[in-house]
């Protein structure tokens, strides 16, 4: 819910750019997203305006040169890969639609990363291609769709052994108390026997 509110705020601020751009340039009208944790999901402006508008603004390789695209793959682990296919309005009849495909890495070590293969076009015009570092908003969008951060599970697993060790230490210290109690009782018995013996010996000495 919090991510949806944040994304809605982002779209409200960027609405003149994100929503007007597809209308003016006849950009994508929908997107199909799939990957670990996400059942194949089709986003449209009618049903998923917030996610689709944010995805287009953050990741789409617009012709007008938004963002910086590089040929070199970013260093570090990229994490799980998600696929997105953007669909254009009908160009030459209902069965002739261009599709632009991308690979998204929302949990890469250095921050979210997008890859667009060379040679893709939008209505005949070449799109930008290569690698692009995206903002944290891409990660938020993907998590809102169901993607899970694998680093979160790793961090949780690393905390568990320490917690278990602490529990065992507490249990072990508690288990030592019966031994201390037994020793104390034994000492008490010995002291009592000694006192009784001395009491019985005093009359004999008189």
């Amino acid at each position: 819910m919090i991510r949806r509110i944040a994304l809605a705020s982002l779209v409200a601020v960027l609405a003149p750019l994100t929503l007007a751009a597809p209308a003016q340039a006849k950009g994508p009208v929908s997107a199909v997203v799939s990957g670990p944790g996400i059942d194949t999901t089709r986003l449209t402006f009618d049903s998923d305006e917030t996610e689709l508008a944010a995805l287009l603004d953050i990741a789409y390789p617009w012709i007008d040169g938004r963002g910086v695209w590089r040929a070199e793959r970013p260093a570090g682990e990229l994490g799980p890969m998600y696929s997105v296919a953007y669909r254009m309005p009908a160009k030459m009849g209902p069965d002739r639609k261009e599709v632009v495909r991308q690979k998204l890495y929302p949990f890469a070590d250095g921050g979210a990363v997008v890859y667009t293969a060379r040679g893709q076009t939008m209505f005949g015009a070449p799109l930008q291609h290569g690698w692009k570092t995206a903002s944290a908003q891409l990660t938020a969008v993907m998590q809102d769709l169901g993607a899970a951060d694998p680093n979160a599970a790793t961090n949780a697993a690393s905390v568990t052994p320490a917690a278990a060790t602490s529990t065992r230490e507490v249990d072990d210290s508690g288990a030592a108390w019966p031994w201390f109690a037994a020793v104390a009782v034994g000492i008490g018995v010995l002291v009592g026997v000694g006192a009784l013996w001395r009491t019985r010996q005093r009359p004999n000495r008189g």
Side-chain angles (χ1 to χ4, degrees), residues 50-186:
T50 298
E51 288 85 356
L52 181 55
L55 195 61
L56 290 174
D57 182 76
I58 297 165
Y60 191 78
W62 292 101
I63 297 172
D64 60 12
R66 300 183 198 178
V68 178
W69 297 80
R70 298 183 174 87
E72 300 81 11
R73 175 191 180 280
E77 295 294 330
L78 296 180
M81 185 267 289
Y82 294 82
S83 299
V84 57
Y86 303 95
R87 297 186 181 276
M88 307 299 167
K91 179 181 178 183
M92 299 176 63
D95 298 328
R96 297 293 300 275
K97 293 184 179 180
E98 285 186 313
V99 177
V100 175
R101 302 183 186 279
Q102 283 184 311
K103 295 179 180 180
L104 310 178
Y105 302 88
F107 307 111
D109 286 346
V113 175
V114 178
Y115 175 74
T116 306
R118 180 191 296 270
Q120 301 190 76
T121 62
M122 184 172 69
F123 295 107
L127 293 169
Q128 299 182 92
H129 60 274
W131 296 89
K132 174 186 175 183
T133 300
S135 70
Q137 290 296 334
L138 177 60
T139 304
V141 170
M142 299 304 292
Q143 287 180 318
D144 198 56
L145 294 176
D149 185 354
N151 297 323
T154 302
N155 294 336
S158 65
V159 173
T160 302
T165 301
S166 299
T167 302
R168 286 196 301 271
E169 290 176 353
V170 172
D171 292 343
D172 291 345
S173 63
W177 281 107
W179 291 99
F180 289 117
V183 172
V185 170

Side-chain angles (χ1 to χ4, degrees), residues 32-57:
V32 177
V33 183
S34 61
I38 300 179
D39 294 332
T40 300
T41 302
R42 183 173 184 268
L43 307 177
T44 68
F45 281 111
D46 293 334
S47 60
D48 305 279
E49 179 179 298
T50 298
E51 288 85 356
L52 181 55
L55 195 61
L56 290 174
D57 182 76

